Amino acid sequence: MNPSSSENGDKRLPALVLAAIGVVYGDIGTSPLYAIKECFGAEHGIPVTQETVFGVLSLLFWALLVIVSIKYLVFVLRADNDGEGGILALMALALRGVSNAKGRWWIAALGMFGAAMFYGDGMITPAISVLSAVEGLEVATPWFSQYVLPITLVILFVLFFFQRHGTAVVGQLFGPITCVWFVTLAVLGVYHIAQTPEILSALSPHYGFRFALTYGWQAFIVLGSVFLAVTGAEALYADMGHFGAKAIRIAWFGLAMPSLLLNYFGQGALILQAPESIKNPFYMMAPEWGVLPLVVIATFATVIASQAVITGAFSLTRQAILMGYCPRMKIVHTSDQEIGQIYIPAVNWMLLVSVAGLVLYFRNSGNLAAAYGIAVTTTMVITTILAYIVMIRVWKWDPVVVVVGVALFLIIDIAFFSANAIKISEGGWFPIAIGAFAFVLLSTWKRGRAILLERLSGEAIPVEIFLESLQRAAPQAIEGTAVFMSSSKIGIPHAFLHNLKHNKALHQRNVILTISFADIPFVEEKERIKIDRLGDSVWRIEASYGFKESPNIAEIFSLCEKYHDIAFDMMDTSFFLTHEILIASKARNMAIWRKKLYAMLAKNATKPTDFFGIPTNRVVELGAAVEL
């Protein structure tokens, strides 16, 4: 349930705002560590003058205002899927407004690619955030330069190692620590703005326009670095289900945005006073005695920002699994109270290896910055397109108003995307490569599952014919309950037929169980179970779950008894599963290499017994060869 819509939502609002500050704004809150510095990087060739400093600050201010404050907080947060946000939730919402197959395919493809690019972002954020924080040691003394990479790698290893213990305890500290971080940003900024108050003139948009006209192509390239100030904006939408739109808006306008702007303008004021500070303006804002304490709090802030992205990768993967875009993986629930606190070992260690590789390959935050923006800008463009479909097809808003508004946002998004695309050869290739690889996996699994389900449904024996055959030649009846897991809602599953064929027996009670997933976050408990009696000893049970829930056999049995007066004794129940042996045929429904890839993914997917919580000592697996 969306926290903001609960009856005691107002009472919980202060706690939700505090938590949102820690989790939602951890990523965007660490951007001051590197954004201004990268805008004046030597490769851009922009001189450090009052005109250029005012121009860059103007672009930063209006980027934060238009992209974060207006686009995401005013418009995109309205696109909630029963209180949930994120690229896959938005995709599911957009699919409701489109009925033709081709249109639905394109929407699904956009959603999958946006989700795929998120993994690239999830790898780069911990690397650039922690590395940029530790680089502050070089400001304290050059002696630390040789230890920046080792310290960064140790911090990252500890961060990923402790993921398996969950974020419940650490999560309670996220809000207060990030509040201290934002207050520190604001104090440092106010101190330097007070010495050079004319820096506030950069709020005027004409400085940004003049900068663009004067420097042309160079200014366009600088846009890629300006965008670093808004990376993390997608988290506003992705985390909506955890905190609610109201808490997220209050946290932004009440603390995060003012603190960020004060710090950026404070850095600008410092650069005007001491142009040499451009090599690391954030840390040079602090007095000499304050650099090391600032490094410590910055490191905490970047770890929190990294934690938020890692948690987001876990949540996105679970959504992808339950929506049928990803193979089953082991999902560990790290909290008895919070459904969103999960740990996925395969994703965690994949991220660690990738993040460590990025740190060792790029070696400093400046090099990593080139790879950062392309993943986020791609996701933002896709979010704008999907939001347009929702506004037109689902909400039925005035087309003229929607087209004008979306066109404005799309122009800005594409401008930032283009500015970052220039850096593909400098590192932008990495998130694109990761995104393309993840997209191939997601789309192959989705298509492969559809082909497999089509094959199984086509070969299934109709229920009526099966029941008639039982009446003509009734097999031997044995005690107990048999549950036959089936991915299809029609016909008789292979496992049922194979059991009759080989054992020549029929249990007293036979249940065909199908677990399906809806395109909504949660399914009401009383609506989760549907039961149809097909014959004297045969029932069909369909259990429905949302993409934020985890299916469990024990819960399904409990709800059957609670709402339908059908009790199950686990020790008197046998589960029959079909183990499909997939064979890649030459049928032209999917490329042969993708069929082999799907077969490999299926072979390595987590077993249904582990994923659905089925006792392994009650399971019988029956093999069946299926041609794709």
Side-chain angles (χ1 to χ4, degrees), residues 17 20 91 118 124 128 181 226 267 274 305 414 426 442 454 482 493 512 628:
V17 171
M91 177 198 73
F118 181 85
I124 297 174
I128 190 173
W181 169 251
V226 169
Q267 289 188 44
I414 292 175
E426 302 171 21
L442 294 174
E454 183 181 338
I512 301 171
L628 295 176

Side-chain angles (χ1 to χ4, degrees), residues 257-578:
M257 182 181 180
S259 299
L260 288 171
L261 290 176
L262 286 171
N263 192 265
Y264 284 129
F265 278 76
Q267 289 188 44
L270 172 64
I271 294 169
L272 290 182
Q273 297 168 3
E276 67 278 5
S277 64
I278 195 61
K279 62 182 180 180
N280 203 323
F282 175 77
Y283 281 110
M284 290 188 172
M285 293 178 78
E288 187 174 339
W289 59 265
V291 173
L292 285 179
L294 190 58
V295 170
V296 172
I297 189 174
T299 302
F300 275 111
T302 55
V303 167
I304 290 172
S306 303
Q307 176 65 63
V309 173
I310 296 167
T311 302
F314 293 159
S315 298
L316 181 68
T317 302
R318 180 174 68 173
Q319 288 186 27
I321 292 171
L322 299 184
M323 294 175 74
Y325 292 97
C326 184
R328 292 184 302 271
M329 297 182 187
K330 182 180 180 181
I331 298 176
V332 180
H333 291 267
T334 59
S335 171
D336 294 330
Q337 289 79 35
E338 298 295 332
I339 190 172
Q341 293 186 11
I342 60 174
Y343 167 66
I344 303 180
V347 174
N348 185 67
W349 300 120
M350 176 196 71
L351 287 176
L352 173 59
V353 172
S354 301
V355 170
L358 283 170
V359 170
L360 292 173
Y361 180 81
F362 287 100
R363 305 192 70 79
N364 65 67
S365 61
N367 293 336
L368 267 169
Y372 198 18
I374 193 73
V376 186
T377 51
T378 302
T379 305
M380 284 187 174
V381 170
I382 292 173
T383 296
T384 302
I385 295 172
L386 293 178
Y388 166 78
I389 296 171
V390 171
M391 292 175 187
I392 291 291
R393 294 296 189 93
V394 180
W395 297 342
K396 309 294 183 182
W397 282 8
D398 186 338
V400 176
V401 175
V402 173
V403 168
V404 172
V406 169
L408 173 63
F409 292 135
L410 205 53
I411 289 171
I412 296 173
D413 288 341
I414 292 175
F416 279 119
F417 173 82
S418 302
N420 280 281
I422 297 171
K423 302 177 182 179
I424 288 178
S425 61
E426 302 171 21
W429 57 267
F430 177 80
I432 292 177
I434 293 297
F437 177 71
F439 176 76
V440 169
L441 294 182
L442 294 174
S443 58
T444 297
W445 182 260
K446 183 68 172 178
R447 179 57 183 154
R449 287 293 300 170
I451 294 173
L452 178 60
L453 184 59
E454 183 181 338
R455 287 279 189 269
L456 294 177
S457 299
E459 297 173 2
I461 295 178
V463 174
E464 296 77 8
I465 297 176
F466 176 76
L467 294 177
E468 288 177 5
S469 68
L470 290 182
Q471 291 176 353
R472 288 195 304 268
Q476 179 183 353
I478 59 176
E479 294 182 356
T481 299
V483 176
F484 301 93
M485 303 291 290
S486 174
S487 56
S488 176
K489 300 178 183 179
I490 60 174
I492 302 297
H494 282 74
F496 202 157
L497 300 175
H498 287 183
N499 181 50
L500 279 176
K501 178 180 178 181
H502 294 288
N503 296 324
K504 305 287 192 298
L506 189 70
H507 286 73
Q508 288 178 333
R509 185 170 56 175
N510 300 273
V511 175
I512 301 171
L513 176 59
T514 299
I515 299 177
S516 60
F517 300 95
D519 63 352
I520 56 176
F522 304 98
V523 174
E524 292 290 337
E525 184 183 90
K526 61 183 179 181
E527 298 177 0
R528 189 179 305 286
I529 305 296
K530 293 181 181 179
I531 299 180
D532 292 321
R533 186 163 188 172
L534 305 180
D536 293 337
S537 61
V538 182
W539 283 260
R540 183 185 296 278
I541 297 179
E542 181 183 346
S544 299
Y545 285 85
F547 57 75
K548 291 284 287 184
E549 301 176 294
S550 296
N552 183 272
I553 288 294
E555 182 201 25
I556 292 172
F557 284 180
S558 175
L559 294 178
C560 285
E561 182 174 6
K562 181 178 180 180
Y563 292 105
H564 301 277
D565 295 324
I566 298 179
F568 289 88
D569 179 1
M570 191 70 78
M571 298 308 297
D572 194 39
T573 301
S574 297
F575 294 85
F576 291 83
L577 309 180
T578 302

